[in-house]
Amino acid sequence: MCEKYIIVDMQSQSEPGPLELWIQEQIRANGPVTMAQFIEWALYHPTLGYYTTGPNIGPRGDFTTSPEASPGFGRLFARHLRDIDEVLGHPPQFDVIECGPGRGTLAHDLLGAVQEEDPDLYSRLRYWLVEISPALIEAQRERLLPEHSGLVQWRGSVEEIPHGAQAAVIANEFVDAFPVHVVENRDGIVYEQFVALDKNGALTIDYMPPSEKALLDFLQDQQINLQPGERIEINIAANHWLQALSDVLERGIVTIIDYGDQAPQRYSAARREGTLLAYYRGAVTDNILAHAGEQDITALVDFTALQSAAKQAGFTTVGITRQAHFLLGLGLGTTHTPETATSTVEEALVYRRGLQALISMEGLGRFHVLVLSKGIELQSATELPALKFVDL
């Protein structure tokens, strides 16, 4: 995702879908819920959620991720794994934990490259796919089995992975998929968005005092002074995820790739109405309450707040850069080119277009890449070649 998009008015005129009816029943019985709770239901309801039933990923889908744009992404990421293995001292067992692995495309391309280029590392790998969607797990199994049987394993959460890991953690377009709370300054008072029912029983947005103290603490800790009418999203779930990762890792490197920004740009005047959007049938809409379970819902990641939460969880920020710079540091255009990755002119031309999509500063190339460490003393960010062009 990038911020050059067109908002499409997709107000639903159809009858409510099964998940929307279920949500209406919950609110009718128990009262309004936070926007974060609504998003969690819309995306992760056990049988009706958008991710649970399998999102439409790819060039013709609701959104396209970097692994789907080009196999070069996974092949270059394999170099990053080899570099992490180096700074870890080549542990006898090297865990790779991929959170939100989509259709398994990144794992497929990455593991294929490691198997071909570094058989020793491949023999020491244990690859964990952290996934809760039955539909996506099935897609991942089709991509990864039987070729990588015995090496890949699935878990529903980070907490289920054995503690004490020496690992590389991959979170590509994962943090933006967490449910977020939405707060707004209304006439000088901070309120939170709740999802309620209007007089006709349809879903609507209401404003109430913040549901938990952590929201006000966030504003204070990040020194965010909301102006009248200003609205922002707060991703508390990401903090819990980082703490869970820290509990699992003995030593390791965490690589987080996502769309978003750092302070103060994350809360610039152009974003005073917030960044919460939905993706429905390939189009962008700000009608968050429509099509529950049928559309993706996402907000820009606050990378400044993410670094702060990571520090509290015991991580150190190694560096932050853009995806284009990250991939250039891994050898894109030098050791890795269309000519080195393909065997014919036609294949090279197609491959080149995919690589260009990965580094385009109008799209995927603008994504931020945040690299964290735990239990590792690095003299400088550039000990990891991926951070040769760090922004910090």
Side-chain angles (χ1 to χ4, degrees):
M1 171 187 167
C2 67
E3 288 191 83
K4 290 191 174 181
Y5 41 60
I6 298 174
I7 301 293
V8 178
D9 182 7
M10 305 188 84
Q11 180 69 37
S12 176
Q13 302 297 323
S14 60
E15 291 296 316
L19 182 54
E20 184 174 347
L21 290 172
W22 183 86
I23 293 173
Q24 289 173 355
E25 291 176 4
Q26 303 309 304
I27 296 174
R28 194 172 293 114
N30 303 302
V33 298
T34 65
M35 179 60 75
Q37 179 62 80
F38 170 81
I39 295 172
E40 182 175 343
W41 284 339
L43 298 182
Y44 301 109
H45 183 279
T47 58
L48 301 173
Y50 177 78
Y51 283 109
T52 308
T53 56
N56 188 8
I57 305 173
R60 298 180 182 274
D62 294 332
F63 57 89
T64 299
T65 63
S66 293
E68 300 293 339
S70 170
F73 186 78
R75 295 176 188 175
L76 286 161
F77 217 104
R79 161 73 190 278
H80 188 43
L81 279 195
R82 296 198 299 274
D83 294 332
I84 294 172
D85 180 50
E86 177 73 27
V87 300
L88 285 173
H90 309 290
Q93 178 174 298
F94 182 26
D95 290 303
V96 179
I97 304 168
E98 185 180 356
C99 298
R103 299 192 300 186
T105 304
L106 173 57
H108 173 270
D109 296 336
L110 184 158
L111 288 172
V114 173
Q115 186 178 31
E116 177 183 341
E117 299 167 7
D118 195 338
D120 172 67
L121 175 57
Y122 184 83
S123 70
R124 292 183 285 111
L125 280 184
R126 182 169 58 174
Y127 201 104
W128 303 91
L129 295 101
V130 180
E131 182 61 70
I132 64 171
S133 167
L136 287 177
I137 289 174
E138 181 60 30
Q140 293 155 16
R141 289 184 179 277
E142 290 181 4
R143 295 299 303 274
L144 300 173
L145 301 178
E147 182 177 3
H148 303 293
S149 296
L151 185 151
V152 294
Q153 298 187 47
W154 281 262
R155 292 294 184 271
S157 68
V158 169
E159 289 86 347
E160 297 175 25
I161 295 173
H163 289 205
Q166 301 194 61
V169 179
I170 305 170
N172 180 56
E173 293 196 56
F174 176 72
V175 176
D176 70 274
F178 284 125
V180 293
H181 294 263
V182 180
V183 297
E184 181 176 331
N185 181 330
R186 296 173 68 83
D187 300 322
I189 301 175
V190 175
Y191 287 94
E192 182 176 2
Q193 279 191 1
F194 281 71
V195 179
L197 300 180
D198 64 17
K199 61 182 180 180
N200 297 316
L203 299 178
T204 189
I205 292 177
D206 200 356
Y207 290 87
M208 300 181 185
S211 59
E212 50 186 297
K213 182 176 177 292
L215 302 177
L216 297 177
D217 290 343
F218 174 88
L219 297 177
Q220 181 176 346
D221 294 343
Q222 298 301 314
Q223 300 181 350
I224 298 173
N225 182 25
L226 291 179
Q227 299 302 304
E230 186 177 5
R231 180 190 310 144
I232 67 168
E233 304 85 19
I234 300 178
N235 191 340
I236 295 176
N239 301 1
H240 302 318
W241 170 70
L242 284 166
Q243 186 59 61
L245 276 181
S246 183
D247 293 342
V248 165
L249 294 182
E250 177 184 342
R251 301 168 67 235
I253 297 288
V254 180
T255 305
I256 301 170
I257 306 175
D258 228 312
Y259 47 88
D261 217 332
Q262 300 181 77
Q265 293 83 2
R266 173 62 181 83
Y267 304 108
S268 66
R271 295 167 176 163
R272 62 179 283 107
E273 295 183 355
T275 67
L276 193 64
L277 293 172
Y279 289 79
Y280 180 66
R281 296 182 179 177
V284 182
T285 170
D286 57 2
N287 191 353
I288 305 303
L289 302 184
H291 314 295
E294 301 177 46
Q295 64 180 13
D296 191 16
I297 303 174
T298 183
L300 293 184
V301 174
D302 181 343
F303 278 92
T304 299
L306 202 61
Q307 291 177 74
S308 177
K311 183 177 181 180
Q312 292 182 12
F315 291 102
T316 299
T317 294
V318 181
I320 186 167
T321 189
R322 302 283 185 166
Q323 177 168 296
H325 302 159
F326 175 81
L327 295 177
L328 289 171
L330 289 173
L332 194 157
T334 52
T335 59
H336 187 94
T337 67
E339 291 73 24
T340 62
T342 59
S343 57
T344 69
V345 173
E346 292 76 13
E347 290 175 346
L349 291 173
V350 172
Y351 199 86
R352 182 178 298 277
R353 285 195 293 271
L355 293 180
Q356 289 171 341
L358 295 179
I359 61 173
S360 169
M361 295 305 286
E362 297 297 313
L364 296 171
R366 291 179 59 200
F367 282 23
H368 281 73
V369 182
L370 173 62
V371 179
L372 309 170
S373 70
K374 182 182 179 184
I376 302 172
E377 293 293 334
L378 297 177
Q379 298 302 312
S380 72
T382 54
E383 285 191 53
L384 289 172
L387 294 178
K388 179 180 180 180
F389 305 107
V390 290
D391 293 345
L392 291 182

